[in-house]
Amino acid sequence: MNYQSTRGGISNVTASYAIKNGIASDGGLFVPMNKINLSVSEIERLSTLSYTDLAAEVLGMYLTDYSPEELLDCTNGAYTKEKFETDSIAPVYKLNENTYILELWHGPTCAFKDMALQILPHLLTRAIKKTGEDKEVVILVATSGDTGKAALEGFKNVPGTRIQVFYPDNGVSEIQKLQMTTQEGNNVDVVAVKGNFDDAQTGVKKIFTDKAFADEIAEKGFAFSSANSINWGRLAPQIVYYFAAYCDLLRNGEINAGDKINICVPTGNFGNILAAYYAKCMGLPVGKLICASNINNVLTDFINTGVYDRNRNFETTVSPSMDILISSNLERFLFHATDGDTELVSEYMKKLSEDGRYEVNDKLKSIIKDNFYASCCDDDTTIETIKNTHDKFDYIVDTHTAVGVYAYNRYVEETGDTTKTVIASTANPFKFNNSVLSALVSKKELEGKDEFQLLQMLSDEGNIRIPKSLKELKNKFVRFNTVCERDNLKEETSRFLNI
Ligand SMILES: *Cc1c(COP(=O)(O)O)cnc(C)c1O
């Protein structure tokens, strides 16, 4: 399988090239150049495999310059019971007759980003060797909270790599901030940016496209790479768990082979839901993809009208990992949905960067309508959904997943479609304990409580166990307290690399 840029400037490169480089030199994203078509019987066979074996097989369809043994090494190294505290890695919880929660947050940082970022370092370090790179690879990450910590955990102490994470100073939860500022490892750095996530992301993108800076660091023996969800090495591992969920339902007799399911995904950068779209395109029987957004509802509008318009206020919400106005991975969808029309994709992306807005043609609008349904909700409704879900099912969802549950309920109300649906659950509720608790107890009970008292309270309230990694934060030393202006990211990178 070879890869090309969504903007047409580069093609016929290997998976390891795409993974090593992260973003294409023309500013586009790497996409696979061929389609994969799986039959129902092949999917039935996949349902007999363990998560690590399944992952190696699915990844093998895309990462054809990795041997099956290499991929098994990668998946066995990434998805261990020790790190995920469960054999099934991504367990499916049955909420009711038609609704299933795909719990993607059993990894070391309690968010679904671990599903990709635990394996990315394995894929990347091999990609570096395969492409003959001899430089030390510097991973730069802009994060709205979860990616940063997951990337730090994935890359800490990985030989031949360094990682620097930028997060919006006031855009992450207390727990998220603590998780990052206490990060261990001899190759890591963490910086708060005065601004929002888009400021951090724009700053990092600027560094990545600064040719002179790239030459400068190359002279000192460094090469940049990205661990953001634009990296193909992030996206490919996310396809796996949609297969795993389908196989799980199949094995448990919840569905028959070939039955369609719907998939609902709380969405920000459009990475996680795009992975579900890839799974569908590969032949996984999927009906509708339900795209759930918070009040930063640029994707809801896009799916409903065909107009992508980022000219709106950026809102800070209780689901901060979805506070995004530029959903980078949408570019990959546009590429595939136009059958690889790189000129058209480039035109839309040019309009987006110049006017902050583009409108897709009628053909695309109808493809979008066929595949997606979209809805959004505000913070009050998010909190209400957490409460209702707990009352009804005795199950606690985090703020991001709650947005998904809400969008799914709206979908069923509007369409009457009772197709079995898997809702991607993207974070452990403990990670957003304050907001989650505000749905379950009175304000008064929360007053004056520190993060660790809140963890205990949520544990008592839901009769659920506090994840070890969060409990341990209490005794950790804060290593990183640098704050930088949003135009100064490059200076921080120079400092980190000592150049
Ligand atoms: C990153 C994240 C999302 C959004 O995922 P995208 O791939 O950016 O759409 C949703 N929920 C949580 C908890 C996240 O960390």
Side-chain angles (χ1 to χ4, degrees), residues 139-176:
I139 312 286
L140 297 183
V141 182
T143 184
S144 56
D146 291 332
T147 301
K149 177 61 185 179
L152 288 163
E153 266 312 300
F155 279 97
K156 76 172 176 202
N157 300 331
V158 172
T161 70
R162 294 198 196 187
I163 174 163
Q164 185 176 41
V165 169
F166 296 94
Y167 71 92
D169 198 16
N170 290 315
V172 301
S173 81
E174 273 312 306
I175 286 281
Q176 286 177 316

Side-chain angles (χ1 to χ4, degrees), residues 111-113 146-147 229 238 266-273 321-322 324 398 400 426-427 432:
F112 93 94
K113 304 285 195 297
D146 291 332
T147 301
S229 66
Q238 294 184 246
T267 309
N269 227 345
F270 209 73
N272 203 3
I273 194 165
S321 303
M322 292 154 62
I324 286 171
D398 91 291
H400 304 77
T426 51
F432 300 93

